[in-house]
Amino acid sequence: MIEKALKGSKKYWLWVLFLLSIIFIGFLCYLYQFKVGLGITGMSRDVSWGFYIANFTFLVGVAAGAVMIVLPYYWHNYKEYGKITVLGEFLAVAAVTMCLLFVVVDLGKIMRVFNVLRFPTPNSVMFYDVIVLNGYLLLNLICGWTVLHSEYKGTKYPSWLKPIIYLAIVWAPSIHIVTAFLYQGLPGRHFWLTAVMAPRFLASAFSAGPALVLVAALLLKKVANFDPGKKAIDSLAKTVAYAFIINVLLFIFELFTAFYSGIHSHQAPIKYLFVGLEGHAEWVPFMWIATILAIVGILLLVIPSTRKNETTLVLACIAVFISCWIDKGIGLITGGYTPTPFETITPYRPTLPEIGITLGVWAVGFLIMTILYKIVLEVKSSKELVVKYEGVLYKK
Amino acid sequence: MAIKRRDFLKLTGLTLVGTAASAAVGDLLTRGEVKAQEYATPPEALKGKRWAMVIDVKKCKEGQKKGCGKKCIEVCHYLHNVPSIPDKKKEIKWIWEDEFEHAFPEQTDEYLEEIFKDVPFMLLCNQCDNPPCVRVCPTKATFKREDGIVMMDFHRCIGCRFCMAACPYGSRSFNWFDPRKYLKKVNPEYPTRTKGVVEKCLFCYERLAQGKLPACVEACPEKALIFGDLADENSEVSKILKERVALRRKAELGTGPAVFYLID
Ligand code: SF4
Ligand code: SF4
């Protein structure tokens, strides 16, 4: 089946080449970081996690979000998702791979990464995160690949897969709950110390993940003649809308708690992010962009006519995706570290090599997604050909 | 140096043989966990159940007025090969001076600020009773010893910096670069670190094992830093804390800091 990825149009190869060149640049940046140390990034003693962990956190959500397609299809037998379910599963594969890469490039001593397995430490949330992320990667790879392979062979997937599919479904929220626990159990980081963190993570995951699948599916429809089905798109759009509104609501609840209670330390990070604090306003424009995108996204998603229109729907999904990325990526991390434990402010800005490495990891993810999606498309279209040759009567 | 290293290797060898022999039986019972008692502390070592430090900030202020030159910082950082990195954002520090409003941000008001205006607060790892840094470390590279010291194994740390996110006191530093470039003088008795690992004050565990007090405590001419065992009723620290008013940083977080600041 893998050979399907090796044959393609000129456009396909150009896209692959483009991704490969970004990966190459990212790799060069990484070699530089490897040699000199993490000091080449904008991180500091006070803001000791940055862009890498921000992207990691966001992408865990994207990965978990795929379950919003897989679950209705297998659990509720929602047939409309038949065509895009495997897209969801393979999106999860690409996203988790990026997550793992982001953790790895963030380590000071990469050669020692297996210390996490050599000295298993059950009191560390990181220990569980490693388990659930790798497990999720494996589960999705198995499910996606086996189902697709059966389709390729023209059979139904083997029955042993059913329990694994169910396991993958219940597994999905765990990756994001555990990732939220990385943050929400730390004393003294006021922005993170909230029970709403895990639900908020899930809500943003269940909007950003399906939003990306939606954009990808509609893109494939344009460039590769792939038809996801009108009903599937409409249902998915509703999922994005509901989940994203819940996400925004949860954030507003945070605002209420911080500002009605009047507790200064709970307000400080929010003020820093949205209006600036003590003359520091590094991320204010970004947070307002996220806010505006969120409003635009919600409007386009709740108004039926714009939701049903493919162009405005894609715009809405992109708005939701970027809004989540800013809010849960960079906003979450810088907000957690600002103010510092000394109630001072140390600004953080990613450096060029840091951004290079980040883009490189994203390109790896997109490359994986491209290859897997290419295989999916080839398999599905080859099936259509068989139908066309066997019977004279065929749909469409 | 060469002889010392040989002695050290011999010692390690002996310990290994000893451990292997006892492990043959012990493994069955302890499932491979190494018992702390098997490491024999040298007879001259200072022994305690809960090491703690009391810092008399007024005395410290006097010392600085007389021109002590912040000996505690200087000696600690030299003895432990702590590099001096000019870039504030990437700096490494084990013990440093800060103002009241930064050390106790949640207690600050204008009156206290005025009272403590020129009073130096020496900050260092609090060797917490219930250390969040230890809780989150995924490799046990940071762990708590039986005497309360929160230790670091520089050779196990993977540099994930989870502990830095967890420490509510900003006590930990990360080696963003190769620290050796920033050492003017190297103390051969203590290991240097490599880039990519976290480090912090370790309450001079290596000096305690030789029967010596922590370097900063010994260096302070004013005796503003007092070290001792809280578990011992008659230790100097226990006695002082019974009589005078002391604050601990962010005690409300439940971390149980073992560094006290005398403020009366
Ligand atoms: S002060 Fe920070 S580094 Fe030191 S033991 Fe407490 S939590 Fe850990
Ligand atoms: S940086 Fe090192 S000591 Fe800190 S949590 Fe990670 S492995 Fe443990």
Side-chain angles (χ1 to χ4, degrees):
Chain A
M1 216 158 56
I2 193 104
E3 76 283 350
K4 303 263 185 216
L6 298 176
K7 276 180 282 172
S9 64
K10 215 176 192 162
K11 262 196 277 175
Y12 170 71
W13 284 113
L14 266 177
W15 171 241
V16 169
L17 212 68
F18 168 72
L19 290 176
L20 281 175
S21 50
I22 293 184
I23 294 172
F24 183 68
I25 294 170
F27 183 68
L28 289 184
C29 292
Y30 183 71
L31 284 184
Y32 174 51
Q33 177 183 297
F34 186 76
K35 187 149 179 291
V36 180
L38 277 160
I40 64 142
T41 67
M43 291 185 271
S44 58
R45 195 180 186 279
D46 292 328
V47 185
S48 46
W49 278 341
F51 223 39
Y52 301 147
I53 295 299
N55 280 288
F56 155 79
T57 312
F58 173 71
L59 284 165
V60 174
V62 172
V67 79
M68 291 318 264
I69 303 158
V70 181
L71 187 144
Y73 180 63
Y74 287 110
W75 214 301
H76 302 290
N77 209 6
Y78 187 63
K79 285 277 183 298
E80 305 295 338
Y81 280 174
K83 280 191 166 160
I84 54 169
T85 297
V86 70
L87 294 189
E89 283 162 334
F90 283 165
L91 169 74
V93 171
V96 179
T97 311
M98 284 189 261
C99 291
L100 296 174
L101 280 175
F102 272 120
V103 172
V104 165
V105 298
D106 188 66
L107 290 184
K109 278 267 169 256
I110 182 166
M111 305 302 199
R112 297 185 190 158
V113 54
F114 288 108
N115 278 3
V116 177
L117 303 177
R118 283 174 65 206
F119 312 106
T121 313
N123 49 279
S124 172
V125 183
M126 191 92 75
F127 171 73
Y128 298 97
D129 217 25
V130 168
I131 295 176
V132 291
L133 281 176
N134 283 294
Y136 192 62
L137 177 64
L138 208 69
L139 286 172
N140 274 287
L141 210 52
I142 294 174
C143 295
W145 195 262
T146 314
V147 170
L148 192 66
H149 197 74
S150 317
E151 193 172 329
Y152 178 54
K153 291 250 189 75
T155 55
K156 195 177 164 359
Y157 58 84
S159 53
W160 56 261
L161 196 67
K162 201 89 198 186
I164 298 185
I165 288 172
Y166 285 150
L167 182 62
I169 290 172
V170 287
W171 197 285
S174 82
I175 66 170
H176 221 28
I177 294 173
V178 174
T179 304
F181 284 1
L182 287 179
Y183 299 100
Q184 75 178 61
L186 303 181
R189 302 265 174 216
H190 309 294
F191 195 54
W192 294 343
L193 193 78
T194 158
V196 136
M197 185 74 86
R200 196 147 93 80
F201 268 30
L202 288 173
S204 78
F206 294 158
S207 52
L212 187 59
V213 174
L214 240 172
V215 174
L218 290 176
L219 192 75
L220 292 180
K221 188 175 172 189
K222 267 246 161 66
V223 300
N225 250 335
F226 166 80
D227 183 20
K230 207 153 182 60
K231 258 189 122 176
I233 291 296
D234 200 44
S235 308
L236 208 52
K238 282 182 195 148
T239 307
V240 176
Y242 279 117
F244 190 66
I245 290 171
I246 294 176
N247 178 38
V248 171
L249 276 179
L250 288 173
F251 180 70
I252 293 172
F253 300 163
E254 284 290 7
L255 292 183
F256 173 78
T257 306
F259 288 91
Y260 194 78
S261 71
I263 299 176
H264 166 78
S265 54
H266 285 269
Q267 298 169 357
I270 302 174
K271 281 188 185 157
Y272 169 70
L273 287 176
F274 284 92
V275 292
L277 196 65
E278 291 166 25
H280 286 280
E282 286 78 21
W283 296 97
V284 170
F286 290 87
M287 295 316 287
W288 284 104
I289 290 175
T291 311
I292 293 167
L293 286 176
I295 296 169
V296 171
I298 289 180
L299 284 179
L300 291 178
L301 283 169
V302 292
I303 300 171
S305 60
T306 45
R307 191 181 60 238
K308 296 222 162 78
N309 177 317
E310 274 175 18
T311 323
T312 39
L313 176 60
V314 167
L315 285 179
C317 287
I318 292 175
V320 164
F321 192 77
I322 297 177
S323 176
C324 281
W325 179 78
I326 295 175
D327 158 48
K328 205 169 75 193
I330 202 65
L332 179 87
I333 300 295
T334 46
Y337 284 106
T338 315
T340 67
F342 311 99
E343 297 282 319
T344 55
I345 291 178
T346 306
Y348 163 76
R349 269 196 207 89
T351 59
L352 275 183
E354 194 176 1
I355 294 173
I357 294 172
T358 305
L359 287 178
V361 174
W362 273 93
V364 171
F366 275 113
L367 185 65
I368 294 175
M369 221 167 123
T370 305
I371 291 173
L372 291 176
Y373 279 17
K374 166 86 172 144
I375 298 174
V376 171
L377 290 183
E378 292 288 331
V379 168
K380 299 229 184 236
S381 68
S382 74
K383 282 272 81 87
E384 234 153 57
L385 270 186
V386 175
V387 175
K388 277 175 193 166
Y389 278 14
E390 274 177 355
V392 197
L393 294 165
Y394 43 85
K395 32 153 202 163
K396 285 168 206 162
Chain B
M1 190 59 207
I3 296 166
K4 270 200 182 132
R5 175 168 295 181
R6 245 186 56 188
D7 283 347
F8 172 70
L9 288 178
K10 259 201 257 164
L11 245 169
T12 338
L14 277 178
T15 325
L16 276 181
V17 171
T19 328
S22 61
V25 193
D27 250 14
L28 290 173
L29 303 170
T30 61
R31 283 195 245 120
E33 284 168 35
V34 183
K35 274 194 248 136
Q37 297 94 297
E38 280 170 19
Y39 168 76
T41 33
E44 71 272 18
L46 295 182
K47 290 185 192 76
K49 290 214 177 68
R50 183 66 189 111
W51 291 124
M53 188 182 283
V54 176
I55 300 178
D56 192 329
V57 295
K58 295 252 165 77
K59 271 193 185 169
C60 180
K61 184 182 170 183
E62 262 157 50
Q64 292 203 6
K65 243 198 233 147
K66 288 185 205 156
C68 71
K70 297 174 200 168
K71 265 249 145 49
C72 51
I73 303 180
E74 188 192 316
V75 171
C76 166
H77 284 187
Y78 163 66
L79 281 181
H80 299 117
N81 292 319
V82 178
S84 26
I85 296 171
D87 182 358
K88 274 258 169 230
K89 282 182 150 188
K90 316 269 174 184
E91 76 184 334
I92 294 175
K93 46 192 184 185
W94 286 24
I95 174 168
W96 68 98
E97 183 194 328
D98 211 330
E99 294 159 20
F100 176 77
E101 56 190 283
H102 294 153
F104 296 91
E106 60 294 313
Q107 323 243 8
T108 318
D109 59 51
E110 49 193 304
Y111 307 106
L112 283 176
E113 242 170 71
E114 188 56 35
I115 290 175
F116 292 114
K117 203 169 75 198
D118 304 309
V119 180
F121 281 78
M122 287 299 162
L123 306 185
L124 65 159
C125 166
N126 288 293
Q127 315 293 343
C128 302
D129 252 339
N130 180 17
C133 57
V134 170
R135 209 178 307 142
V136 301
C137 177
T139 62
K140 301 191 190 82
T142 189
F143 56 96
K144 199 174 142 204
R145 305 205 315 180
E146 294 207 324
D147 57 4
I149 296 182
V150 175
M151 272 295 292
M152 269 295 309
D153 181 343
F154 304 125
H155 299 280
R156 188 182 282 194
C157 172
I158 58 172
C160 65
R161 311 191 293 296
F162 201 2
C163 53
M164 295 177 78
C167 171
Y169 304 101
S171 301
R172 294 177 162 259
S173 306
F174 181 72
N175 284 282
W176 300 101
F177 299 108
D178 177 10
R180 286 163 196 147
K181 288 186 302 198
Y182 298 93
L183 291 173
K184 279 177 218 96
K185 251 188 320 176
V186 175
N187 170 19
E189 309 276 324
Y190 200 82
T192 56
R193 270 76 65 196
T194 64
K195 66 168 188 276
V197 299
V198 164
E199 59 180 78
K200 68 169 192 77
C201 156
L202 303 174
F203 251 14
C204 282
Y205 74 96
E206 80 288 359
R207 291 172 58 91
L208 298 179
Q210 297 168 350
K212 295 191 223 159
L213 284 172
C216 53
V217 175
E218 200 182 274
C220 177
E222 232 21 68
K223 304 252 169 297
L225 309 174
I226 306 135
F227 185 81
D229 187 1
L230 277 187
D232 175 3
E233 288 259 335
N234 298 314
S235 68
E236 201 183 343
V237 283
S238 300
K239 284 191 197 146
I240 294 181
L241 289 176
K242 270 181 217 152
E243 284 163 14
R244 296 184 54 190
V245 183
L247 285 181
R248 291 187 297 172
R249 294 172 66 201
K250 303 187 183 177
E252 75 279 6
L253 296 178
T255 47
V259 176
F260 296 78
Y261 295 85
L262 294 179
I263 52 154
D264 53 350

